[in-house]
Amino acid sequence: MERRSFITTIGTVAVASPFLGVIGSCASEAKAFEGHKFPELGYAFNALEPYIDAQTMELHYTKHHQGYFNNFMKAAEGTELLETPLEKIFETISKQPDVIRNNGGGFYNHTLFWESMTPSQVEIPADLLKAIETSFGSLDDFKEKFGTAAKTRFGSGWAWLVVGTDGKLFVTSTPNQDNPLMDVAEEKGIPVLGLDVWEHAYYLKYQNRRPEYVDNFWNIVNWDNVKKRVDLAKG
Ligand code: MN
């Protein structure tokens, strides 16, 4: 399938449902877009301790994420963007003003980030493990590659596990609040796991030790949600 229509399909599904409902549905259940909604966090601020501290989580969710959402909604007011799923907006983000790119990206990326984590250890599903082994050799090789992307992203940005147009998984990173759905991204695809490496994501607990924050991420990854996103992306 052509990339553009592929992502549009996924986008319709993804934004049709509220938080976590996204990844519980399948393409055949796609509903009409019902507007942009700020998501529930899904767990307590202290739930990811000791890997991510409660104060960081509270500020990150209530100030940073909420701020991106509010600023996006304000900038989108009175435009067709209010009726357009983020995934669709990202397809032509280069034609939008920076306020939409930065805040729309921040709104989307953090929702995916919260869904990427869980306080309950989740064993990686067998078919996801197989897909990772097919694309990267082994789970450790994947973690190494993803970790390197996260640790070496200069300044602020994100590390991603992405489903490419060929259905294979790859790792990439993007600056600021960009993501692989955007037409400006160097490597495009559908993100299924994201790690925020802005300093606001780790500085209170880890200060300058970003690598330690990145390594600890593996203790709280929600592999079930990653699998659901991969299945959805592959159709
Ligand atoms: Mn952030």
Side-chain angles (χ1 to χ4, degrees):
M1 192 185 293
E2 188 202 343
R3 187 191 76 86
R4 188 182 171 87
S5 57
F6 181 57
I7 290 179
T8 303
T9 306
I10 297 300
T12 307
V13 176
V15 198
S17 334
F19 185 65
L20 287 179
V22 167
I23 41 195
S25 65
C26 66
S28 61
E29 292 167 347
K31 295 178 210 141
F33 180 60
E34 292 170 346
H36 302 289
K37 293 188 179 72
F38 189 64
E40 300 287 331
L41 182 57
Y43 38 78
F45 294 134
N46 66 358
L48 302 178
E49 297 259 15
Y51 309 113
I52 300 182
D53 61 287
Q55 189 184 12
T56 295
M57 281 302 297
E58 180 166 5
L59 290 168
H60 206 170
Y61 177 71
T62 66
K63 305 296 181 190
H64 294 277
H65 193 194
Q66 183 78 57
Y68 293 122
F69 174 77
N70 292 351
N71 290 332
F72 169 78
M73 293 302 280
K74 197 174 164 193
E77 202 175 323
T79 75
E80 76 285 353
L81 297 179
L82 284 184
E83 324 300 329
T84 313
L86 289 169
E87 289 86 344
K88 183 83 182 161
I89 295 172
F90 294 156
E91 288 178 12
T92 53
I93 199 69
S94 57
K95 296 182 170 60
Q96 295 290 340
D98 284 350
V99 66
I100 293 295
R101 174 173 169 179
N102 294 334
N103 292 290
F107 169 28
Y108 179 93
N109 294 349
H110 287 85
T111 301
L112 195 154
F113 184 42
W114 311 139
E115 290 181 356
S116 294
M117 299 184 289
T118 175
S120 320
Q121 277 276 2
V122 174
E123 200 176 328
I124 184 162
D127 53 346
L128 175 59
L129 179 60
K130 196 162 192 306
I132 286 174
E133 288 170 346
T134 300
S135 297
F136 301 100
S138 71
L139 182 59
D140 282 345
D141 287 332
F142 158 64
K143 287 181 176 177
E144 174 77 25
K145 199 159 193 176
F146 186 97
T148 298
K151 292 168 190 175
T152 59
R153 161 53 55 189
F154 185 75
S156 299
W158 292 76
W160 305 101
L161 174 63
V162 184
V163 176
T165 49
D166 57 1
K168 282 201 175 164
L169 298 167
F170 67 91
V171 164
T172 190
S173 86
T174 54
N176 304 313
Q177 294 297 354
D178 288 356
N179 66 51
L181 292 168
M182 294 183 173
D183 64 356
V184 293
E186 283 174 30
E187 298 176 288
K188 287 179 262 301
I190 298 175
V192 294
L193 174 70
L195 177 59
D196 187 345
V197 296
W198 284 57
E199 285 188 347
H200 69 227
Y202 62 86
Y203 212 83
L204 288 177
K205 180 177 173 69
Y206 296 93
Q207 292 86 48
N208 60 314
R209 304 187 307 279
R210 187 197 287 187
E212 199 179 319
Y213 160 75
V214 171
D215 291 339
N216 274 338
F217 179 58
W218 302 116
N219 294 300
I220 45 175
V221 168
N222 191 331
W223 294 110
D224 279 345
N225 281 351
V226 177
K227 177 196 148 42
K228 286 171 188 168
R229 284 188 174 276
V230 170
D231 290 347
L232 198 60
K234 288 181 174 178

